[in-house]
Amino acid sequence: MNISNQKFGENAILYSLTNDNGLTMKVTNLGARIVELIVPVKGEQRNIILGFDSAEEYVAKDMYFGATIGRVAGRIKHGSFSIDEHNYQLPISPENGHTLHGGSKSFESRIWEAEIAETNEQVSVLFSYLSTDGENGFPGELQARVTYTLTNNNEWILDYYAKTDQPTLYNPTNHVYFNLTGDVTQPVDQHSLFVDADRFAVVANDTTVTGELSSVTGTPFDFRKPQSMKQVFQTAYEQNRLVGGLDHPFILNQTGFDQAQAMIIAPQKDLTVEMYTDRPAVVIFTAQFGDNGPEVRGQKLVSHGGITLETQVSPGAVEFEGFGDILLRPENPYQSRTLFKIK
């Protein structure tokens, strides 16, 4: 195992973690984000994560790529919620009237503190951030922590921990984009996807969830056996046409680390990423940026050039019963884990 670091911008540091198999993960304290995941495949070094070469590029192009998202991943409708009969109003986007990913200049734009831990079998970077009471409208001083670990079993582990001094909302995720070809000019339509989910959350025109959970049976959302991603791009099914692919929560049938809840398989079947999580849902977004995709490491990102696996409680938990609970209280600190295994 090996770890090194270098400057990544004015205030940002890039940490490079390499295991004994030659797999390298690069992460930065800007937004506690993953920047690269470089996998040896058939003699080549293949970077399977979308990202940029400097902190300044993230600021200029897209702050969500690979970042830790919080306090609340996804959209809070109209930016309003109540806790213990106290009403809160968050700043909203003028484009749609909702609050996305915790609001502007949230976790993804902050410089996190970083510590390094290393053993013979794994190396970790522990990122921590103190979110002040009232930041982006959320109550409570929140101490947030996310630990990135790379193991000699080719696992990337995300461990989340947080505690608050007063009741608040908390539902973090990681906004990683995978493209297992390593070529951002190739869409992910030839990738295969497995998701162990019988239901998905229906979304409205503004991609907020409607409160309806729909069966995947007979729809392009059925990935209970590995299926080509092209089925969500080449269909007339309304929910896919509405967003141009996927931008939906899948409600997982089971959680834990005994068997994968999701899997992405490269077109040539030479690389697979398995996802394991204790979260009840995964939001899958297929990067439908059209012609507005940024340049990624010298190449123009094609529409559908990446796919996210954002583990979390499903968006809609604030508005609808049955979608889960994201209320965090001082007496019960937040802990969760998501693991990606590269094969």
Side-chain angles (χ1 to χ4, degrees):
M1 305 297 292
N2 181 60
I3 186 166
S4 61
N5 65 75
Q6 64 191 75
K7 289 196 69 173
F8 195 56
E10 186 175 351
N11 297 307
I13 303 294
L14 184 70
Y15 299 86
S16 297
L17 292 63
T18 302
N19 69 10
D20 294 344
N21 307 314
L23 191 150
T24 295
M25 178 170 69
K26 297 185 180 182
V27 300
T28 179
N29 59 340
L30 173 65
R33 81 181 64 237
I34 185 166
V35 175
E36 298 185 18
L37 189 58
I38 302 171
V39 184
V41 183
K42 297 179 179 177
E44 68 166 329
Q45 297 291 308
R46 187 183 301 177
N47 183 10
I48 62 171
I49 297 296
L50 304 191
F52 306 116
D53 290 330
S54 68
E56 289 78 11
E57 275 196 82
Y58 282 97
V59 173
K61 294 178 177 179
D62 195 311
M63 287 297 285
Y64 293 136
F65 275 38
T68 297
I69 302 298
R71 296 187 185 188
V72 174
R75 293 162 180 83
I76 298 177
K77 197 166 187 176
H78 307 312
S80 61
F81 62 93
S82 298
I83 299 176
D84 299 336
E85 299 183 352
H86 188 102
N87 297 325
Y88 295 92
Q89 179 61 54
L90 309 177
I92 59 174
S93 165
E95 287 84 27
N96 56 38
H98 309 304
T99 302
L100 175 64
H101 291 336
S104 63
K105 296 184 178 178
S106 195
F107 282 13
E108 79 288 343
S109 65
R110 306 296 180 173
I111 296 293
W112 295 52
E113 297 293 322
E115 300 176 38
I116 294 170
E118 189 174 0
T119 70
N120 289 334
E121 291 303 316
Q122 64 183 47
V123 61
S124 302
V125 181
L126 188 157
F127 293 113
S128 56
Y129 173 67
L130 181 63
S131 179
T132 56
D133 180 24
E135 182 174 281
N136 274 6
F138 288 98
E141 182 178 89
L142 182 91
Q143 298 180 42
R145 191 169 73 209
V146 58
T147 302
Y148 282 73
T149 299
L150 178 66
T151 76
N152 274 334
N153 291 324
N154 290 353
E155 296 163 334
W156 163 32
I157 304 172
L158 287 158
D159 284 306
Y160 299 88
Y161 174 86
K163 61 181 180 178
T164 180
D165 64 356
Q166 58 180 293
T168 191
L169 300 183
Y170 198 56
N171 189 27
T173 193
N174 183 279
H175 207 298
V176 62
Y177 286 92
F178 291 101
N179 184 321
L180 302 194
T181 69
D183 182 356
V184 303
T185 68
Q186 291 190 37
V188 296
D189 59 347
Q190 299 301 314
H191 287 58
S192 295
L193 177 67
F194 162 79
V195 187
D196 184 15
D198 292 338
R199 298 177 299 162
F200 71 95
V202 175
V203 301
N205 290 338
D206 57 5
T207 61
T208 58
V209 297
T210 66
E212 178 186 357
L213 297 175
S214 184
S215 171
V216 303
T217 301
T219 78
F221 288 79
D222 193 347
F223 290 99
R224 290 173 294 185
K225 294 181 180 179
Q227 303 287 342
S228 171
M229 285 296 300
K230 65 184 179 182
Q231 73 182 42
V232 300
F233 305 129
Q234 297 179 355
T235 179
Y237 190 66
E238 180 193 12
Q239 279 289 295
N240 300 113
R241 295 297 292 267
L242 182 68
V243 301
L246 293 175
D247 193 359
H248 293 78
F250 286 72
I251 310 304
L252 298 172
N253 291 333
Q254 49 88 25
T255 60
F257 303 92
D258 293 331
Q259 60 189 61
Q261 292 88 13
M263 190 182 308
I264 306 172
I265 304 164
Q268 300 300 320
K269 308 293 191 289
D270 54 4
L271 189 64
T272 298
V273 173
E274 296 178 345
M275 183 201 84
Y276 303 77
T277 188
D278 55 20
R279 298 295 84 196
V282 58
V283 173
I284 301 180
F285 173 56
T286 47
Q288 39 269 12
F289 298 131
D291 294 330
N292 297 319
E295 188 174 279
V296 176
R297 304 186 183 101
Q299 294 183 305
K300 174 75 170 177
L301 177 65
V302 69
S303 192
H304 303 132
I307 178 174
T308 71
L309 297 176
E310 304 170 54
T311 57
Q312 59 194 267
V313 174
S314 175
V318 173
E319 299 93 16
F320 303 109
E321 289 191 15
F323 274 65
D325 182 12
I326 62 170
L327 181 60
L328 181 65
R329 295 187 180 276
E331 60 269 24
N332 292 312
Y334 177 95
Q335 285 186 279
S336 75
R337 168 174 281 194
T338 291
L339 182 153
F340 295 103
K341 187 172 183 64
I342 296 92
K343 290 186 172 180

